Amino acid sequence: MSTAASEGYKNRCRIAVDTCSDLTPEIAATLDVDILGFPYILDGVEKADDIWTSMTPKWFYDQIRSGVKASTAAISVGRYLEYFTECAEEGTPTVYLAFTSALSSSYEHACIAADEVREKYPDFELYVVDNALPCACGELLVLEAVRQRAAGLTAAQLAEWANESKTYVHGYFTLDSLDSLAAGGRIPPAAAQISSKLDIKANLSFDLSGSLTLTGVNRGRKKALKSLVKAFKENYVLDPNLPMTIVTSDCEKDGDWLESAIRKEPGCADLTIIRGAVGPTIGAHVGPGMVAVIFWGKNRADKASLTDRIAKKVRG
């Protein structure tokens, strides 16, 4: 990092996310956010997720449609050591908002590396936060974290804010096919086959730990998309100052339909809606045809079951 850039970080903190948040490099650069790339494997070749810098979403998802196998791996401890050491040597307090530990061992790897770096640099402030959020839900969290940093929160306060705020982020999505989830071992292959034959479309979300949850099934795509609008209406808390996100995996027309339907809801005509493409890391698991609506809303912890609340307390 140049001396000028280093000077720019004084008296505030660095914020880092990983490519699972689907934050584009252009937006990240504008907001002074660092991105750590997940590795993924396409047709047996390991690549680094660069959020569509080296390929287009259509090309990637066409590969999957043609039968090419895609899988992912966690960010290594070594990569985290490299990045955290860079931050420590610079001396700027750092907050890393990591992809949910419920779906990847990456968070665990980050914690191992962070402990090692703290031992070597005992005065360095480093916070690793499990965002407990899949996909572009992490994008909404980091966008607001940047605003809170600008408002004066310290690194320690920002980490605490993120842990408190993440349960207010909602994400609901539907898949055109369950084949990619079956290929990745997320569901039994037989379930995907039955779903395809009966034209059953699954609607999913996530729990307080960041694990995927099934919220319903629909016969046909249009009913599945309407269910996303219903989930939005039931859980959204209107705040024109907060953006929301619609992301797709190479099915922009369905994203257009969803955006149009949401803008027809009371008070939503002029909302800031960020449109994005699901990156290769998440795309390897969901395949083409995913549509997701992501927004700030009611505290999901208030709706949690008794056993979920106990689990959250145990996790700390």
Side-chain angles (χ1 to χ4, degrees), residues 69-271:
K69 302 300 182 184
S71 60
T72 61
I75 299 175
S76 68
V77 174
R79 175 66 184 103
Y80 282 122
L81 278 172
E82 178 185 13
Y83 174 72
F84 292 153
T85 299
E86 173 194 326
C87 296
E89 290 178 347
E90 179 186 278
T92 307
T94 299
V95 179
Y96 170 46
L97 304 177
F99 179 58
T100 172
S101 62
L103 298 177
S104 172
S105 59
S106 186
Y107 170 74
E108 181 183 355
H109 292 177
C111 289
I112 293 171
D115 287 342
E116 187 170 332
V117 171
R118 291 190 194 102
E119 185 175 344
K120 186 176 180 180
Y121 301 89
D123 296 328
F124 174 54
E125 282 190 79
L126 173 59
Y127 304 91
V128 178
V129 178
D130 179 357
N131 73 12
L133 300 170
C135 193
C137 299
E139 180 180 19
L140 281 196
L141 189 69
V142 71
L143 290 177
E144 184 60 17
V146 168
R147 193 176 76 85
Q148 295 299 332
R149 175 179 66 182
L153 288 191
T154 65
Q157 291 168 337
L158 195 59
E160 183 179 356
W161 170 88
N163 273 314
E164 291 293 327
S165 299
K166 61 191 181 184
T167 57
Y168 291 85
V169 178
H170 290 249
Y172 301 90
F173 62 99
T174 188
L175 305 177
D176 191 42
S177 166
L178 298 179
D179 291 344
S180 291
L181 285 179
R186 269 29 182 205
I187 62 171
Q193 293 171 4
I194 293 173
S195 172
S196 178
K197 289 180 179 179
L198 298 179
D199 195 27
I200 293 175
K201 308 300 181 184
N203 282 71
L204 300 100
S205 186
F206 52 93
D207 61 20
L208 295 179
S209 72
S211 295
L212 298 182
T213 59
L214 180 68
T215 59
V217 293
N218 298 273
R219 293 292 294 271
R221 180 73 159 181
K222 186 53 68 73
K223 288 183 179 180
L225 292 173
K226 288 181 178 179
S227 293
L228 298 183
V229 179
K230 181 174 183 290
F232 171 79
K233 291 166 63 175
E234 292 174 348
N235 295 285
Y236 180 61
V237 175
L238 181 62
D239 185 342
N241 296 315
L242 293 174
M244 59 177 292
T245 302
I246 292 175
V247 294
T248 65
S249 55
D250 199 30
C251 51
E252 284 297 290
K253 288 185 178 179
D254 287 336
D256 293 342
W257 183 92
L258 182 58
E259 178 177 347
S260 176
I262 286 174
R263 290 197 183 280
K264 292 176 183 176
E265 294 301 314
C268 296
D270 298 319
L271 285 180

